[in-house]
Amino acid sequence: PDVVSRIAAGEVVLRPANALKELIENSLDAGATSIKVEVKDGGMKYLQIVDNGCGIKKEDLDLVCERHATSKLESLDDLQSVSTYGFRGEALSSISLISNVSIVTKTAEERCGYKVSYCEGKMKDKPIPCAANQGTAITVENLFYNVPLRQKALKNLFEEHKRVQDVVGRYAVHNASVGFSLKKYGQNHLYINSMNNTSTKDVIGLIFDTNIARNLLEKEGSDDTLQFKYKILATSLIYSAKQMIFLLFINHRLVKSEGLQKEIAELYNIYLPPKSYPFVYISLEMPSANVDVNVHPRKETVFYLHEEYINKKILTAIQQLVLGKDAYQTYK
Ligand code: ADP
Ligand code: MG
């Protein structure tokens, strides 16, 4: 791989937390119910994720770090969403261009596990049989070892660790029935939310603040014409934080929408006293062909069809939530 593709990889993965987000999504795609993360130096030195998902077939191991290698295109609908969803099969290949990746994995069919290491997207050696539980362990070491500029920019390991923690926490909230744990290298697990039917509220209490959890209002809704549905958990007007906490998942991907966040902040602004802010979690699902996460290489900023209409629906729902249905009539 040439310098250009390495630089491109450095654009997709700007910091350890970006890499981790991709790895967590892969584990969730693999059906994992347990995801264990361990990091050293904010993920720069060492970033490991162990899941109990379906595992990777032995014969696929030489491909997973190749560009555009994906096992997730099965239907025509998938093909259509490729053009919009973008970056299919780019995550592992990008990560392996700028770090040392090794994988231990076992599928249900295989009698033993296999271990492989990669260098610049290529398998270093044939898979070595080893003992393993079903699932996949991916270890990313020396992230950005060959991208000195990124290394220089990421000197604050405390900040990187915080971002890693934030990504794990947010995915744990969105996947309340999946057990997540985060461990600093050589230390005990920082927090674990068990798989025992924890509710989203419980996880929010665990990861953010029990006070938030106590003041959450919940609303679900859908729209038949535009085929979208939403679930909102938002704090009532009694609760106030020092800054707004906003979690947005579209089709189960953690994304950013500054527009929507701003509109919600402004809505709360009308009712909350100065310098108080809400906690808002939104899960939005819509046909994947309507979502465009392709605009930004990090896939964070999202654009979707009928954005104005959908945002308005969400704002109305939040307003109804915090004011109560009857009160809403007078504020309309
Ligand atoms: P994508 O997720 O878009 O398919 P990735 O580069 O993220 O592309 O992953 C490449 C492929 O590697 C996936 O399609 C999947 O087959 C396999 N893979 C990666 N991580 C896991 C995992 N934790 N469990 C099972 N398969 C995985
Ligand atoms: Mg992926």
Side-chain angles (χ1 to χ4, degrees):
D2 51 283
V3 178
V4 174
S5 49
R6 192 182 302 150
I7 290 171
E11 299 252 302
V12 179
V13 179
L14 275 179
R15 50 192 351 141
N18 299 137
L20 182 61
K21 174 184 187 288
E22 295 295 333
L23 298 172
I24 292 177
E25 285 177 357
N26 282 344
S27 294
L28 292 167
D29 288 344
T33 54
S34 160
I35 295 177
K36 293 179 179 159
V37 177
E38 186 171 342
V39 293
K40 190 178 185 176
D41 289 351
M44 294 289 286
K45 195 99 215 112
Y46 181 94
L47 179 65
Q48 188 187 55
I49 175 164
V50 180
D51 71 45
N52 65 347
C54 63
I56 304 170
K57 284 193 218 124
K58 187 189 171 199
E59 60 265 31
D60 289 342
L61 278 170
D62 65 332
L63 275 181
V64 285
C65 286
E66 293 268 353
R67 199 145 178 249
H68 300 308
T70 177
S71 61
K72 296 171 193 169
L73 303 177
E74 273 153 11
S75 64
L76 199 64
D77 182 48
D78 277 349
L79 262 181
Q80 190 187 9
S81 66
V82 161
S83 54
T84 49
Y85 224 99
F87 298 100
R88 266 279 171 242
E90 298 245 7
L92 272 182
S93 74
S94 299
I95 294 169
S96 86
L97 282 181
I98 50 175
S99 71
N100 306 116
V101 173
S102 55
I103 298 181
V104 174
T105 188
K106 185 189 169 302
T107 61
E109 293 76 31
E110 221 69 72
R111 297 175 69 196
C112 66
Y114 289 94
K115 183 179 162 63
V116 220
S117 305
Y118 299 86
C119 185
E120 313 231 285
K122 298 263 178 277
M123 248 188 349
K124 277 194 204 156
D125 276 308
K126 285 208 174 95
I128 302 164
C130 64
N133 293 323
Q134 190 193 315
T136 304
I138 297 186
T139 309
V140 175
E141 284 169 287
N142 306 316
L143 195 57
F144 304 118
Y145 75 96
N146 52 2
V147 195
L149 276 179
R150 287 312 306 151
Q151 260 182 41
K152 246 187 213 147
L154 303 173
K155 279 270 178 273
N156 187 346
L157 303 181
F158 179 78
E159 169 71 20
E160 295 315 310
H161 187 82
K162 242 179 49 189
R163 286 175 185 261
V164 161
Q165 200 174 322
D166 196 59
V167 167
V168 178
R170 283 168 191 245
Y171 273 93
V173 166
H174 186 69
N175 299 275
S177 57
V178 175
F180 279 87
S181 79
L182 173 63
K183 186 178 186 289
K184 254 189 185 168
Y185 193 81
Q187 291 184 9
N188 291 331
H189 285 256
L190 205 64
Y191 54 73
I192 299 173
N193 68 301
S194 66
M195 325 173 202
N196 304 331
N197 287 331
T198 326
S199 75
T200 309
K201 271 188 192 178
D202 291 340
V203 185
I204 291 172
L206 211 62
I207 285 164
F208 291 95
D209 185 345
T210 45
N211 240 332
I212 293 177
R214 220 172 297 135
N215 287 295
L216 282 175
L217 304 163
E218 186 170 346
K219 191 177 174 79
E220 287 181 41
S222 62
D223 186 288
D224 290 338
T225 10
L226 291 184
Q227 288 181 284
F228 71 89
K229 57 180 183 178
Y230 61 83
K231 179 181 170 180
I232 301 170
L233 284 166
T235 42
S236 70
L237 299 179
I238 303 165
Y239 178 80
S240 147
K242 286 195 207 75
Q243 67 185 64
M244 181 171 178
I245 305 175
F246 184 63
L247 280 68
L248 175 64
F249 283 82
I250 296 187
N251 294 350
H252 308 293
R253 256 65 183 167
L254 179 62
V255 293
K256 282 189 181 144
S257 166
E258 260 140 43
L260 180 59
Q261 177 167 0
K262 195 162 159 254
E263 285 182 82
I264 294 172
E266 278 163 5
L267 174 68
Y268 269 93
N269 242 338
I270 304 174
Y271 309 110
L272 284 176
K275 297 210 162 70
S276 12
Y277 303 92
F279 171 100
V280 178
Y281 158 87
I282 300 171
S283 171
L284 194 55
E285 284 177 65
M286 61 179 84
S288 54
N290 289 0
V291 190
D292 186 359
V293 283
N294 218 346
V295 239
H296 194 280
R298 268 170 299 150
K299 296 191 268 182
E300 280 178 343
T301 303
V302 73
F303 287 85
Y304 37 95
L305 281 181
H306 319 294
E307 197 162 329
E308 208 175 306
Y309 178 89
I310 293 174
N311 288 3
K312 201 163 183 187
K313 277 261 164 165
I314 288 174
L315 282 169
T316 308
I318 293 177
Q319 192 171 36
Q320 286 173 344
L321 255 189
V322 296
L323 296 178
K325 249 206 170 84
D326 296 333
Y328 168 71
Q329 296 301 332
T330 46
Y331 282 91
K332 208 173 177 180

